[in-house]
Amino acid sequence: ETGVTQSPTHLIKTRGQQVTLRCSSQSGHNTVSWYQQALGQGPQFIFQYYREEENGRGNFPPRFSGLQFPNYSSELNVNALELDDSALYLCASSLADRGSNEQFFGPGTRLTVL
Amino acid sequence: SQQGEEDPQALSIQEGENATMNCSYKTSINNLQWYRQNSGRGLVHLILIRSNEREKHSGRLRVTLDTSKKSSSLLITASRAADTASYFCATDALGSSASKIIFGSGTRLSIRP
């Protein structure tokens, strides 16, 4: 158990809809990163939030957006869902000030887009 | 694009044998990490090795890093059924933000009883 929780566990949406995924960081961590993992692939970096501001973004379109709240919990929003958005979405929290990149992952949200 | 690439993509060994997985990456790094993932669930951090380290141990795990070859290896000794999982290396590019890491495509390890 890493102390990082994600909700919901599973989600089914249809193409064109919007979805919000949530992540609660491990206590004391100030950084949250989101990853998309397609079946049989490694996680792909979506973006990172540090102290409520975006701090790096991967190769994902603007319809992927996020928020980090004062308690360091986070949301990932995806608009205009496409079939290829079906994946496991992972969030990971870390303490950037420690100078280590060790990240603690949540169990993931499996999103299916029909 | 993937920074790290694991080799082999899949590995099946007998329980009790040693398992070796390799990772190659493209750019200079601050450190390299190995993670384990069971059945499409969250990733579990195994070990971190810094760019100025050459070898690190943790229990039955041994990680080596060769920055001149931009490669790393993960050795699991005396494998157990519970070691069946996918293993990923993850790197951060030198000069990147503190926690941005990039994963390889993984090695799927199966331990036969």
Side-chain angles (χ1 to χ4, degrees), chain B residues 6-18:
Chain B
E6 285 89 343
D7 170 57
Q9 290 186 334
L11 179 62
S12 179
I13 61 172
Q14 203 76 29
E15 190 170 15
E17 293 180 336
N18 296 340

Side-chain angles (χ1 to χ4, degrees), chain A residues 2 9 31 33 35 37 40-45 48 55 57 88 90 94 96 99-103 105-107 110, chain B residues 1-2 30-31 33 35 37 40-43 45 48 50 88 92 97-106 108:
Chain A
T2 63
T9 305
T31 302
S33 302
Y35 295 84
Q37 186 179 22
Q41 299 296 316
Q44 296 280 329
F45 176 76
Q48 178 187 98
N55 182 42
R57 188 177 183 93
L88 180 69
L90 297 161
S94 56
S100 166
N101 290 0
E102 181 178 351
Q103 301 197 354
F105 281 82
R110 184 160 299 281
Chain B
S1 64
Q2 305 282 12
N30 291 315
N31 55 57
Q33 304 177 68
Y35 286 82
Q37 185 178 39
R41 299 292 290 168
L43 282 82
H45 183 264
L48 180 151
R50 300 191 185 280
F88 296 91
D92 66 330
S97 61
S99 296
K100 178 179 178 179
I101 60 175
I102 300 176
F103 287 83
S105 53
R108 293 185 303 281

Side-chain angles (χ1 to χ4, degrees), chain A residues 25-114:
Chain A
S25 302
Q26 182 165 318
S27 177
H29 284 181
N30 55 18
T31 302
V32 173
S33 302
W34 284 92
Y35 295 84
Q36 179 195 68
Q37 186 179 22
L39 199 63
Q41 299 296 316
Q44 296 280 329
F45 176 76
I46 302 174
F47 45 56
Q48 178 187 98
Y49 280 82
Y50 171 66
R51 293 183 175 175
E52 303 178 56
E53 293 198 0
E54 188 176 292
N55 182 42
R57 188 177 183 93
N59 189 26
F60 280 81
R63 60 189 184 84
F64 285 78
S65 63
L67 282 173
Q68 188 181 31
F69 300 101
N71 66 355
Y72 301 131
S73 65
S74 177
E75 286 183 356
L76 164 66
N77 299 290
V78 187
N79 295 321
L81 284 167
E82 300 176 1
L83 298 180
D84 285 349
D85 295 333
S86 295
L88 180 69
Y89 288 85
L90 297 161
C91 78
S93 74
S94 56
L95 184 59
D97 302 333
R98 197 171 65 181
S100 166
N101 290 0
E102 181 178 351
Q103 301 197 354
F104 296 82
F105 281 82
T109 293
R110 184 160 299 281
L111 172 65
T112 301
V113 182
L114 302 176

